[in-house]
Amino acid sequence: MPSSLQCQDNHKLHVAIIMDGNGRWAASRELMRAAGHEAGIEALRRVVRAAPDENISTLTVYAFSSDNWKRPEGEVAALLDLFRRFLDTETEDLVRDGVKLSIVGRRDRLPQDLVHEIERAEAATEWGDLLHLRVALDYSARDMIIEAAKKAAGAGDLTRETLAAQLGAPEVDLLIRTSGEQRLSDFLLWECAYAEFHFTTRLWPDFAENDLKDAIAVFHHRQRRFGALQAA
Ligand code: FPP
């Protein structure tokens, strides 16, 4: 990690997004919550398309937290179904657009057919080199850190570097959360150690290319010091 980084440089960015507000978006239109999640997929498509032009090389999005299993059975089923359809319908476009897809989080509690779809989509997109899209599914940062620490310690070498290598993601430069909430909700706790945060009241289904551009523009005006003093 550099001791100081001007945000204006050509550093490729890791942007993380907590896509929040689908339910409120649907409720404000008297629609079912699932319709909000459907509209959320459109917003994700827009952001994935716009990301490379914003110098983003890694995009991690929070689609389903390990705590989301506490939601009503019907909503969980609708979300899992949406993920299946997303993998089924998007893979071809992701390959065409040079996007490598990875699903991060636990897989042992996901339905077997969804795990197969994930493996198929990851294999199909593995050569994508324009953008790495990481979708967090059944994800808990605390659980990921525990697992990574166990592996690093098991190999007899638990350091910041080995733990970070086990987690397998670059540090987050910018974390965006939509819908006015301002918390991390067990997302990328380790990787966000020095992330800049951008909170917007925009509900996720309304999030557009310009919102991403605005967030990146604000980020570029931040002075990141990583604990050091500002360069003279
Ligand atoms: C939070 O909104 C959103 C989620 C729990 C699901 C996120 C899923 C998508 C955006 C669907 C597309 C994703 C993929 C990868 C296919 P909320 O339901 O908590 O909204 P609320 O706070 O307004 O109730």
Side-chain angles (χ1 to χ4, degrees), residues 19-24 33 37 41 63 71 83 86 135 204:
M19 309 180 289
D20 203 0
N22 297 348
R24 278 163 282 173
R33 291 179 58 82
H37 297 315
I41 291 196
R71 291 193 176 198
F83 301 143
F86 173 80
V135 176
W204 176 247

Side-chain angles (χ1 to χ4, degrees), residues 131-182:
L131 176 71
H132 188 188
L133 172 63
R134 303 169 71 241
V135 176
L137 248 191
D138 196 359
Y139 177 93
S140 153
R142 288 182 291 197
D143 288 348
M144 297 289 282
I145 292 168
I146 289 171
E147 286 310 309
K150 279 186 193 161
K151 285 186 187 145
D157 188 19
L158 176 55
T159 64
R160 286 182 176 193
E161 289 72 25
T162 59
L163 196 143
Q166 284 293 345
L167 287 171
E171 300 223 1
V172 173
D173 295 293
L174 173 66
L175 177 116
I176 299 171
R177 183 166 189 156
T178 57
S179 89
E181 310 295 348
Q182 303 191 4

Side-chain angles (χ1 to χ4, degrees), residues 2 5-15 50-59 129-132 170-174 216 219-220 224 226:
L5 180 64
Q6 276 299 132
C7 294
Q8 286 86 348
D9 70 11
N10 214 24
H11 167 75
K12 290 277 181 191
L13 301 177
H14 179 188
V15 171
D53 284 344
E54 298 302 320
N55 216 18
I56 298 169
S57 57
T58 306
L59 178 69
D129 57 4
L130 201 55
L131 176 71
H132 188 188
E171 300 223 1
V172 173
D173 295 293
L174 173 66
I216 298 288
F219 168 81
H220 282 307
R224 304 181 79 192
F226 300 99

Side-chain angles (χ1 to χ4, degrees), residues 178-194:
T178 57
S179 89
E181 310 295 348
Q182 303 191 4
R183 53 180 173 269
L184 267 180
S185 303
D186 201 10
F187 189 45
L188 298 170
L189 300 181
W190 179 278
E191 297 89 337
C192 280
Y194 276 98

